[in-house]
Amino acid sequence: MSDWNPQLYRRFEDERTRPARDLLARVALDAPRLVIDLGCGPGNSTELLVDRYPDAEIVGTDNSEPMLVEARSRLPGCRFELSDIATWRPGTPPDLIYANAALQWVGDHETLIPRLFEALAPGGVLAIQMPDNREELTHRAMRDVAALSPWSNHIDDAASVRTRILPLPDYYDLLAPRAAQIDVWRTAYQHPMESPAKIVEWVRSTGLRPFIDPLPAAERESYLAEYERRIADAYPPRADGRRLLAFPRMFIVAQRKP
Ligand SMILES: C[S@@+](CC[C@H](N)C(=O)[O-])C[C@H]1O[C@@H](n2cnc3c(N)ncnc32)[C@H](O)[C@@H]1O
């Protein structure tokens, strides 16, 4: 898969950062010393952490160099490190591990989630938000079009690139026996979008990447045209002409015993 494109990703930054804010609002820590932003992207989520905890040491990690370049120029006072979440282990136990819209790209949550939790300092908090949109029309249409010829000749098993996340109660079961406090919830944001093309633009920088990256230029164009046609049908115009994009997300905030 090609690398992330920070410019494209930042186009819907307000909409993307809202769940990051909602997640942070539920973190009941007053003065953490060490805060990790796992999968920090272009630094938008890291910036929220800096605003909330100006006295903390804040470290952003990501496995995309272009994202880290963007994050470093946005927040020169923070440290940003190249690392893969799947193998990441902190030198010093952090007080907060915050992962907004990142862990859905990493597999084996049954092992990963408890490991991240155990890496925290006593009393520390693990805060996670993940899109829960695999079964939304946007994502079903990606798979449906990919299964058709000629695109199916190039797209192998794109749907499996992004991990199938667990049902929300399973995260509760993984963490509740180890946690002093735990809070899990799911919200479906409703984003008014100017046009079907804007919906395509949004998913193009994230969920659509594994589908269009393997396609030669001509097939990519035709795939996107067919995908947009289906999106136009799936999201009809509302009273003001805009399309309402439902975007479910799940949230997990768990605190270790002191
Ligand atoms: C959707 S962006 C989220 C960025 C930011 N946290 C936010 O709140 O908008 C997902 C980020 O996770 C990173 N990522 C994906 N898989 C990763 C992995 N295995 N290890 C580290 N970072 C990863 C991507 O490079 C990307 O920057």
Side-chain angles (χ1 to χ4, degrees):
M1 198 161 68
S2 70
D3 213 333
W4 288 73
N5 180 331
Q7 282 72 37
L8 193 54
Y9 182 75
R10 286 188 64 174
R11 274 192 209 154
F12 297 95
E13 186 164 295
D14 277 356
E15 289 86 348
R16 292 191 202 280
T17 307
R18 179 171 161 194
R21 240 182 245 115
D22 293 349
L23 176 65
L24 189 54
R26 296 294 300 164
V27 174
L29 287 175
D30 290 332
R33 282 154 303 178
L34 178 59
V35 173
I36 309 293
D37 187 10
L38 273 189
C40 61
N44 51 318
S45 46
T46 324
E47 194 164 69
L48 297 178
L49 295 167
V50 171
D51 289 349
R52 166 102 185 255
Y53 299 121
D55 297 328
E57 179 185 356
I58 296 181
V59 181
T61 74
D62 207 285
N63 68 350
S64 160
E65 193 56 52
M67 284 295 202
L68 290 171
V69 167
E70 187 82 8
R72 286 186 189 113
S73 82
R74 182 176 190 150
L75 295 167
C78 287
R79 202 165 84 232
F80 290 97
E81 295 173 351
L82 185 70
S83 78
D84 186 340
I85 294 168
T87 51
W88 175 83
R89 283 188 170 63
T92 308
D95 304 296
L96 173 59
I97 298 177
Y98 176 91
N100 187 64
L103 299 190
Q104 73 275 13
W105 296 101
V106 188
D108 192 12
H109 281 194
E110 287 89 345
T111 309
L112 175 72
I113 303 295
R115 179 167 67 68
L116 293 176
F117 191 69
E118 299 300 335
L120 288 165
V125 170
L126 174 64
I128 299 167
Q129 182 277 121
M130 293 179 285
D132 190 9
N133 53 5
R134 248 188 97 86
E135 296 312 320
E136 290 301 301
L137 296 169
T138 40
H139 287 61
R140 293 225 301 261
M142 289 173 195
R143 301 193 290 271
D144 291 348
V145 180
L148 301 174
S149 183
W151 308 294
S152 58
N153 303 332
H154 303 279
I155 304 172
D156 249 3
D157 190 16
S160 70
V161 169
R162 193 171 117 181
T163 303
R164 194 180 291 271
I165 62 173
L166 304 174
L168 190 55
D170 288 13
Y171 292 101
Y172 184 90
D173 288 344
L174 280 174
L175 293 172
R178 309 160 202 256
Q181 290 195 59
I182 177 160
D183 188 7
V184 297
W185 71 102
R186 189 175 190 270
T187 302
Y189 294 89
Q190 305 287 331
H191 300 291
M193 305 293 287
E194 288 307 322
S195 62
K198 285 284 173 198
I199 297 179
V200 177
E201 193 180 316
W202 175 315
V203 294
R204 198 176 165 155
S205 66
T206 53
L208 203 52
R209 293 172 54 234
F211 294 89
I212 56 174
D213 283 355
L215 295 175
E219 278 84 357
R220 183 178 303 179
E221 215 170 287
S222 59
Y223 176 98
L224 286 169
E226 175 58 19
Y227 179 67
E228 187 174 323
R229 195 188 63 68
R230 291 179 183 226
I231 291 297
D233 285 349
Y235 297 90
R238 309 308 312 174
D240 62 354
R242 293 193 287 175
R243 320 277 170 143
L244 211 43
L245 174 66
F247 203 130
R249 294 176 181 271
M250 67 165 72
F251 297 79
I252 302 151
V253 177
Q255 181 160 31
R256 269 193 76 172
K257 295 171 184 144

